[in-house]
Amino acid sequence: AGLLLLTAGGQSLAQTAVSLLTLTESTLDNLQPLAAAHQVNLAYTAADDLCVVGEPALLSQILSNLVENGIRYNTPGGRVDVHLTAENQQAIIRVQDTGPGIPITEQTRIFDRFHRLDKTRSQHPGGAGLGLALVQHLVQNYHGTIAVASEPGAGATFTVSLPLAPDTTI
């Protein structure tokens, strides 16, 4: 399905105000079995309930892919934290993990289609290397940005910025 979303264009999708708090809670609940299997703890913090306009399933895909990567590229006893804040009329979603981090040389390529990090970095390698390319595509379609900050041995933080829904108080 991810490949179809990357290559298909011009589809008319439902655009509704989506609560990021509800989306985060649902996503973490859905990924809890995977996190338990990898012995990774999931948590979130939210200053306020922020809303963005979009198709709920696609917004969920953004968060799911980032949290799932944080689980898979982690160590037993590790954590994945989601932080929701608002800055300058933007909803900021930070997904931070305690995994081994991403080498600087890889950070510019991780959003490329079919690019995968070294298979030895994951406890359970797999996937086609489309996850982060799909996330970047979806974020850009919502007029947002995505960035990564990481140092080897110190985990990774993915920061997604999306426009707040009109009339959202911050």
Side-chain angles (χ1 to χ4, degrees):
L3 184 59
L4 293 176
L5 288 171
L6 280 173
T7 59
Q11 294 179 340
S12 178
L13 299 170
Q15 301 289 305
T16 59
V18 177
S19 160
L20 290 181
L21 183 58
T22 301
L23 185 81
T24 299
E25 289 172 345
S26 171
T27 299
L28 295 186
D29 283 348
N30 290 339
L31 290 173
Q32 187 56 48
L34 180 67
H38 288 262
Q39 301 174 27
V40 172
N41 296 306
L42 302 179
Y44 71 91
T45 59
D48 291 302
D49 188 8
L50 307 172
C51 289
V52 296
V53 175
E55 173 16 72
L58 296 181
L59 291 167
S60 178
Q61 187 74 54
I62 292 169
L63 187 57
S64 274
N65 282 10
L66 293 175
V67 173
E68 187 173 332
N69 280 350
I71 294 169
R72 289 187 187 278
Y73 291 92
N74 215 317
T75 55
R79 294 182 54 88
V80 177
D81 294 302
V82 179
H83 306 283
L84 305 175
T85 58
E87 298 171 13
N88 301 319
Q89 297 303 311
Q90 299 285 309
I92 309 297
I93 306 164
R94 285 188 180 89
V95 179
Q96 185 173 20
D97 69 59
T98 58
I102 302 168
I104 303 253
T105 56
E106 297 283 325
Q107 290 180 26
T108 59
R109 301 180 60 215
I110 59 173
F111 296 107
D112 294 347
R113 290 185 201 181
F114 308 113
H115 181 73
R116 295 196 57 225
L117 293 177
D118 179 358
K119 292 178 185 176
T120 61
R121 295 172 33 79
S122 174
Q123 296 180 64
H124 302 276
L130 287 173
L132 290 176
L134 173 62
V135 168
Q136 183 182 48
H137 175 78
L138 293 173
V139 167
Q140 289 173 345
N141 277 350
Y142 286 119
H143 308 289
T145 61
I146 183 167
V148 63
S150 179
E151 292 182 28
T157 301
F158 286 85
T159 302
V160 174
S161 177
L162 298 169
L164 286 167
D167 301 322
T168 300
T169 57
I170 55 174

